[in-house]
């Protein structure tokens, strides 16, 4: 089996790594040798966050990489994030440690079905959350993030009809905050849908002074309980700026690594999910490992490719979002 067949089958190329090898040192050497930059989403394992050049939200990371003079971008995240990096840096080589690191939210909105859905509402503007495939972005009028979705919708005329996708929970949150009647695509993130109201209630009884921080991808019953609702970056900043010492965190627990590093005197408790294994890690995010990142950079594979016509169409709604954000001073 050659390396391309192996990647197609497993999602990455597997080879023997000397157990005495210091992967942090080797990755640093390869970065300099290949003029590469490593991006890590907040939901990645701690080791990957620690080796990264930039840590943050998906769109912010892609924007940061586009500003660099790097020849290679290694995106330790999931597939749609690496696609976004390619859209914003079409001349750079974009790598993903595991090509099968997908996203339940992005997968919940197949572009060919969304296209048919969109055709039912010909007079509607399409706003899509950045957590979607390049093809879906190409079908959109405006892209938004979890931190600017409310403001993007509010910037449009009150009588403007809007389709919002793919996240129904974020869409419902935006509709509630803006008072707009949005047509929602029925998609969701598997991690943010499994938090248990009952278990969080019991946890709050144990930690009565703890603030509950929730991502707007969570279900409404969780958002109603939250003291703060915001993006991963927003959650991190809120916890850092508050005097309280205890926080319950209702998003993927990978972010707690940065929260703890920035606030060593505070306690961060992952919100419990409604399942028997008590696990709310994103299995897609956690497909990436330090070993896969090393091999990815060494072999320059797996590489993310986005068709040129999709890039041309997908970059327009992102640019529209950036224009509106600039006008609003976001």
């Amino acid at each position: 089996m050659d390396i391309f067949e192996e990647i197609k089958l497993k999602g990455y190329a597997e080879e023997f790594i000397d157990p005495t090898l210091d992967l942090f040192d080797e990755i640093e050497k390869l970065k300099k040798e290949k003029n590469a930059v490593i991006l890590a989403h907040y939901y990645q394992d701690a080791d990957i966050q620690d080796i990264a050049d930039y840590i943050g939200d998906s769109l912010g990371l892609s924007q940061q990489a586009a500003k660099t003079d790097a020849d290679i971008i290694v995106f330790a995240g999931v597939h749609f994030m690496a696609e976004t990096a390619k859209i914003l840096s079409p001349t750079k080589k974009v790598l993903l440690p595991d090509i099968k690191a997908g996203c339940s939210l992005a997968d919940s909105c197949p572009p060919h079905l969304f296209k048919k859905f969109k055709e039912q509402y010909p007079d509607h503007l399409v706003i899509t959350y950045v957590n979607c495939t390049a093809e879906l972005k190409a079908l959109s009028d405006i892209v938004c993030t979890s931190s600017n979705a409310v403001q993007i919708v509010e910037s449009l005329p009150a009588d403007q009809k809007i389709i919002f996708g793919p996240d129904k929970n974020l869409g419902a949150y935006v509709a509630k905050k803006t008072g707009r009647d949005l047509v929602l695509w029925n998609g969701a993130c598997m991690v943010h849908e499994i938090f248990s109201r009952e278990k969080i209630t019991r946890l709050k009884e144990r930690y009565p002074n703890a603030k509950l921080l929730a991502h707007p991808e969570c279900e409404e019953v969780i958002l109603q309980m939250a003291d703060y609702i915001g993006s991963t970056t927003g959650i991190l900043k809120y916890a850092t700026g508050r005097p309280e010492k205890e926080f319950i965190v209702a998003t993927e627990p990978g972010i707690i690594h940065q929260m703890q590093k920035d606030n060593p005197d505070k306690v961060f408790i992952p919100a419990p999910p409604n399942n028997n294994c008590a696990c709310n890690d994103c299995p897609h995010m956690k497909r990436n490992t330090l070993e896969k990142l090393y091999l990815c950079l060494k072999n320059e594979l797996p590489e993310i490719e986005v068709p040129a016509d999709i890039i041309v169409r997908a970059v327009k709604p992102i640019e529209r979002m950036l224009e509106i954000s600039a006008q609003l001073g976001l």
Side-chain angles (χ1 to χ4, degrees):
M1 184 188 303
D2 68 21
I3 192 169
F4 295 101
E5 289 176 342
E6 187 176 16
I7 288 171
K8 189 174 181 180
L9 181 65
K10 294 182 179 178
Y12 60 97
E14 194 171 33
E15 63 182 71
F16 173 76
I17 300 176
D18 184 341
T20 65
L21 206 63
D22 186 324
L23 290 181
F24 285 92
D25 283 348
E26 293 302 315
I27 289 169
E28 288 293 345
K29 289 176 189 174
L30 286 170
K31 277 200 307 184
K32 291 173 184 174
E33 176 189 321
K34 296 173 180 280
N35 190 28
V37 63
I38 297 176
L39 315 178
H41 191 271
Y42 286 126
Y43 298 164
Q44 291 295 292
D45 280 335
D47 282 349
I48 293 178
Q49 292 188 43
D50 289 343
I51 195 67
D53 297 291
Y54 302 102
I55 307 156
D57 285 325
S58 59
L59 180 61
L61 288 171
S62 293
Q63 290 173 304
Q64 190 69 52
K67 294 175 185 176
T68 72
D69 62 356
D71 296 314
I72 295 175
I73 298 169
V74 182
F75 207 129
V78 293
H79 199 278
F80 80 79
M81 296 179 184
E83 284 187 336
T84 304
K86 186 66 178 178
I87 290 167
L88 295 183
S89 300
T91 63
K92 300 182 193 294
K93 180 179 283 190
V94 179
L95 308 175
L96 184 65
D98 190 323
I99 203 76
K100 291 192 176 182
C103 170
S104 58
L105 175 56
D107 291 346
S108 72
C109 191
H112 69 286
L113 295 182
F114 186 81
K115 186 177 180 182
K116 291 181 179 179
F117 179 76
K118 175 183 171 181
E119 287 169 357
Q120 297 174 41
Y121 305 93
D123 56 346
H124 284 54
L125 196 76
V126 176
I127 300 178
T128 52
Y129 182 29
V130 70
N131 293 19
C132 66
T133 63
E135 279 189 81
L136 202 67
K137 290 180 177 71
L139 291 169
S140 309
D141 296 297
I142 310 173
V143 165
C144 71
T145 68
S146 56
S147 60
N148 68 18
V150 169
Q151 293 92 329
I152 293 290
V153 169
E154 286 180 335
S155 74
L156 301 172
D159 59 351
Q160 175 64 61
K161 297 178 180 179
I162 299 169
I163 294 172
F164 189 96
D167 192 289
K168 64 181 180 182
N169 294 321
L170 176 59
Y173 171 75
V174 172
K176 183 177 179 180
K177 294 287 284 186
T178 62
R180 302 291 183 94
D181 184 19
L182 307 180
V183 175
L184 304 180
W185 175 267
N186 188 28
C189 163
M190 62 186 289
V191 170
H192 290 98
E193 282 224 309
I194 63 172
F195 292 115
S196 165
R197 180 177 64 175
E198 292 76 17
K199 290 180 182 179
I200 291 174
T201 300
R202 291 198 294 270
L203 196 58
K204 285 175 73 70
E205 289 172 357
R206 286 176 55 198
Y207 298 91
N209 297 319
K211 293 284 187 181
L212 174 60
L213 316 181
H215 195 284
E217 289 180 36
C218 293
E219 294 183 317
E220 171 65 13
V221 291
I222 304 301
L223 298 182
Q224 286 175 356
M225 302 171 67
D227 297 291
Y228 174 79
I229 301 168
S231 66
T232 46
T233 297
I235 285 172
L236 181 59
K237 288 180 178 177
Y238 180 88
T240 300
R242 294 292 300 186
E244 290 85 4
K245 298 297 182 182
E246 298 173 336
F247 299 88
I248 299 167
V249 184
T251 189
E252 214 276 355
I255 192 177
I256 290 177
H257 179 61
Q258 289 302 317
M259 298 177 88
Q260 202 71 73
K261 285 177 71 174
D262 291 354
N263 305 275
D265 61 328
K266 297 182 181 182
V267 176
F268 299 99
I269 309 143
N274 189 20
N275 60 28
N276 294 325
C277 70
C279 172
N280 55 356
D281 284 350
C282 173
H284 304 289
M285 285 282 186
K286 296 310 193 269
R287 285 188 70 95
N288 297 314
T289 64
L290 198 63
E291 290 77 13
K292 289 178 185 176
L293 194 154
Y294 163 68
L295 293 175
C296 162
L297 190 50
K298 177 188 172 188
N299 298 316
E300 298 185 20
L301 290 168
E303 183 178 359
I304 297 296
E305 298 282 4
V306 179
D309 63 314
I310 295 293
I311 289 177
V312 170
R313 288 160 51 207
V315 77
K316 289 179 181 178
I318 296 175
E319 289 174 343
R320 179 85 186 276
M321 177 198 69
L322 296 175
E323 287 169 9
I324 293 172
S325 296
Q327 290 167 6
L328 297 175
L330 301 178

